[in-house]
Amino acid sequence: IVLIGVSAPELADLYLTPFYNSGHRQPMSGVEIHANAIATLLQGNEIVKPQLIFQILILLFSLIISVILVSTIKPPFCFLSLIGWAIFYGFIVLFLFVNYNIWIDVILIFLQIFFIGLFATIHYYQIEIRREKKLMQFVPQHIVEKLNHKPELLTPGGHRKELTMLFCDIRGFTGWSERLEPEELVLMINEYFDEMANIIAMPGHD
């Protein structure tokens, strides 16, 4: 097979291809493009794209792997595991392309992994925020923050310790609660608790 064409730049039969020189952006002449295409067909070296059903199976398989990762690993580590899965998948696609001329789309898989990781992270932090709000209804905020940093402190059965407890009654509290505004009553109770806590904490008081 003989191809006759031109390669002079003045004749404007030059085109950029995926195989041009990246440093000088050297285009390829049209006749050379045709020559490469014919050589590919004669050698049986053409790129093969899997059938649609196979691509759908790949998407389902990736979806299963991604769901397993986000359901077993908590954020932000689940997002890192998804990045690792995406990199591993990219190496598989590259290996198939280089060694077997099999071209598999990676954009859909990468988008799928990204949105699954993003949704899992947002969902996890929404649950954590709701949990903290419910917990702060019964436990002070500084204790909730301490439990977030050291969850091992919240062990089933609690801890056995020797503690000092004080049971007391404030004379006339019912009448005060009826006369005072809620904000004023809370300030008074907090002030009272601070004074009593300091007395209990003093050495020599049981």
Side-chain angles (χ1 to χ4, degrees):
I1 299 176
V2 178
L3 299 179
I4 300 176
V6 295
S7 59
E10 295 80 6
L11 299 177
D13 191 28
L14 299 175
Y15 307 92
L16 293 178
T17 70
F19 301 97
Y20 68 87
N21 188 323
S22 59
H24 303 285
R25 296 186 61 86
Q26 182 67 36
M28 183 180 294
S29 62
V31 66
E32 188 175 357
I33 294 176
H34 286 285
N36 280 281
I38 293 174
T40 299
L41 294 174
L42 292 176
Q43 297 171 6
N45 198 29
E46 64 273 9
I47 296 175
V48 178
K49 187 176 181 179
Q51 296 180 357
L52 179 61
I53 183 64
F54 184 75
Q55 298 182 46
I56 294 175
L57 291 176
I58 293 176
L59 284 172
L60 291 176
F61 177 76
S62 176
L63 178 63
I64 293 173
I65 296 295
S66 301
V67 170
I68 292 175
L69 291 176
V70 299
S71 60
T72 55
I73 304 175
K74 293 183 178 181
F77 300 104
C78 74
F79 206 76
L80 296 177
S81 65
L82 289 175
I83 294 176
W85 160 239
I87 294 175
F88 178 73
Y89 176 80
F91 275 114
I92 293 177
V93 172
L94 181 63
F95 174 81
L96 293 176
F97 180 77
V98 172
N99 294 276
Y100 300 100
N101 293 335
I102 299 176
W103 179 80
I104 300 176
D105 186 19
V106 296
I107 300 300
L108 292 178
I109 297 293
F110 287 168
L111 288 176
Q112 179 194 73
I113 294 173
F114 172 78
F115 284 111
I116 290 177
L118 183 63
F119 173 78
T121 303
I122 294 174
H123 181 66
Y124 173 79
Y125 283 110
Q126 285 179 344
I127 293 176
E128 287 296 311
I129 291 173
R130 288 197 296 266
R131 183 184 65 84
E132 289 184 4
K133 287 182 178 180
K134 291 182 179 179
L135 191 59
M136 283 190 291
Q137 294 178 357
F138 310 98
V139 181
Q141 182 177 358
H142 69 278
I143 296 180
V144 175
E145 294 176 354
K146 187 175 182 180
L147 291 175
N148 287 333
H149 292 293
K150 294 183 178 180
E152 64 274 6
L153 296 177
L154 194 63
T155 56
H159 300 277
R160 185 181 296 272
K161 290 185 178 180
E162 293 186 4
L163 303 174
T164 300
M165 300 185 65
L166 174 65
F167 296 90
C168 62
D169 185 23
I170 302 176
R171 181 182 299 175
F173 179 77
T174 303
W176 291 347
S177 62
E178 293 176 351
R179 294 191 304 269
L180 296 177
E181 294 293 331
E183 295 81 5
E184 297 175 340
L185 186 62
V186 170
L187 291 175
M188 185 194 73
I189 294 176
N190 288 337
E191 184 178 355
Y192 175 79
F193 285 161
D194 290 339
E195 295 296 330
M196 298 305 294
N198 292 331
I199 294 174
I200 296 173
M202 291 177 61
H205 291 75
D206 297 328

